[in-house]
Amino acid sequence: MDINTLTIGGNVSTLIDQDCLHKTKDGRFVINFSIASQKENSNEADYIRCTAFGRTAEVIATYVKQGSHVIIEGRLCSDTYEKDGHTNYTMYILVKKIDFRGNN
């Protein structure tokens, strides 16, 4: 059996508001954002793209702001797209749960 589950914490690095919330063709809400997760023993951070759907996306757009500390549970996803005749590869976290308590 394969396992693709991760938990990561960091600070939201992109501006989040209701304008970030979009609907898919099938009518589900979706939001894309990034978090900065500080590297161990360093002042540098990894910037990680995240995508959430449905009620989770609505909650994020309403209550989570840039700079908020969050803990995300989800799975790692990959995608490809064409640009200028080249195939590009990208990875992101598909958010299943988000914890943002204490970010008022």
Side-chain angles (χ1 to χ4, degrees), residues 17-80:
D17 59 22
Q18 291 296 319
D19 293 337
C20 299
L21 191 63
H22 301 284
K23 281 196 174 182
T24 62
K25 292 178 184 176
D26 63 358
R28 292 188 307 160
F29 283 110
V30 62
I31 193 166
N32 296 297
F33 62 99
S34 294
I35 65 167
S37 183
Q38 189 170 353
K39 294 180 180 181
E40 189 174 354
N41 300 322
S42 173
N43 288 330
E44 297 179 6
D46 290 313
Y47 291 84
I48 302 153
R49 294 180 54 232
C50 303
T51 299
F53 289 94
R55 183 70 183 135
T56 303
E58 291 180 86
V59 167
I60 291 168
T62 303
Y63 298 107
V64 178
K65 304 297 178 211
Q66 186 176 26
S68 295
H69 186 269
V70 296
I71 298 172
I72 293 174
E73 293 180 31
R75 65 183 179 94
L76 190 61
C77 295
S78 61
D79 204 357
T80 61

